[in-house]
Amino acid sequence: FNTVRNYKQSAINTYKKQLTKYKSKYNYNAVNLILAKLGIIYIKRSIIYYEKIMQVNPGDLSIYMKIADVYRKFKQFNKALLYLEKLKFIKPDYGKVYSLLGNLYFSKKTKRKKYYLKLAIKNLEKAITLQKDNSENYILLNRIYTLLGNRKKARFYELKGNK
């Protein structure tokens, strides 16, 4: 229940901030869009809301993260990945997006698990080059290499993550 409340508040704050900041003619009905966390029917409305904010301010890269987060919360991982990949293309030096991609690729449940683990590794290693202090990236790489049976690399990332 707290997550619902936090999500609603985040949507309200974003909406108010954007409208105040741009004072544009785009005065959209936030009520329907704030309800995104309450059920799958509201996903489209929430995405529409964020995409309208993108139209008002195309330079606000956090909107990509918010759209990906909505999809992730509703377990629509492919759509979340799509927005994160777009963001990675737009801002290739943004370490957080690589961490999130690595985490989502690692979490993906599929028959092609090994393929997605390789994508997770690629993104997490890039995240490490951009965010050397984020121990979560090292820990996740440790888990992936442990799963793949590569003890040497797993140990390497374990030691790095515990520094």
Side-chain angles (χ1 to χ4, degrees):
F1 189 71
N2 276 341
T3 330
V4 173
R5 203 173 302 139
N6 292 343
Y7 183 78
K8 281 186 197 177
Q9 194 56 49
S10 172
I12 290 168
N13 291 343
T14 303
Y15 178 77
K16 285 180 179 175
K17 180 180 163 189
Q18 292 297 327
L19 286 180
T20 304
K21 190 172 181 179
Y22 297 99
K23 294 187 195 259
S24 69
K25 61 181 178 182
Y26 303 103
N27 188 3
Y28 301 107
N29 183 354
V31 176
N32 292 332
L33 304 161
I34 292 166
L35 299 174
K37 186 62 181 164
L38 299 177
I40 217 107
I41 351 170
Y42 297 104
I43 289 177
K44 288 181 183 172
R45 289 184 184 159
S46 179
I47 299 306
I48 289 168
Y49 163 67
Y50 284 129
E51 285 177 347
K52 286 180 180 180
I53 289 176
M54 262 189 214
Q55 290 170 1
V56 174
N57 181 17
D60 188 352
L61 301 179
S62 68
I63 298 299
Y64 287 90
M65 300 287 277
K66 291 178 188 220
I67 291 172
D69 191 46
V70 171
Y71 282 129
R72 184 190 57 76
K73 285 178 181 172
F74 288 101
K75 302 193 184 330
Q76 293 190 12
F77 297 115
N78 288 337
K79 290 180 180 179
L81 288 167
L82 178 71
Y83 275 89
L84 291 173
E85 288 288 352
K86 282 181 187 179
L87 180 55
K88 184 172 84 170
F89 180 76
I90 293 168
K91 188 155 174 65
D93 62 338
Y94 188 34
K96 187 174 180 177
V97 75
Y98 291 96
S99 296
L100 291 170
L101 279 165
N103 203 316
L104 277 175
Y105 282 127
F106 174 71
S107 305
K108 202 153 169 56
K109 307 259 188 276
T110 179
K111 291 180 182 178
R112 300 176 60 200
K113 185 71 174 171
K114 204 168 194 173
Y115 169 75
Y116 287 108
L117 288 177
K118 287 180 182 179
L119 287 174
I121 290 169
K122 180 181 165 188
N123 280 287
L124 289 167
E125 286 176 345
K126 179 67 176 180
I128 285 171
T129 64
L130 298 168
Q131 300 178 308
K132 292 180 179 21
D133 298 340
N134 188 344
S135 62
E136 291 177 25
N137 294 327
Y138 295 105
I139 293 166
L140 191 51
L141 278 166
N142 165 267
R143 290 179 60 197
I144 292 170
Y145 280 116
T146 300
L147 264 174
L148 294 173
N150 188 334
R151 292 182 190 170
K152 187 177 178 181
K153 282 201 173 186
R155 182 73 178 142
F156 172 77
Y157 285 113
E158 178 184 11
L159 293 173
K160 286 276 205 179
N162 289 329
K163 283 187 178 181

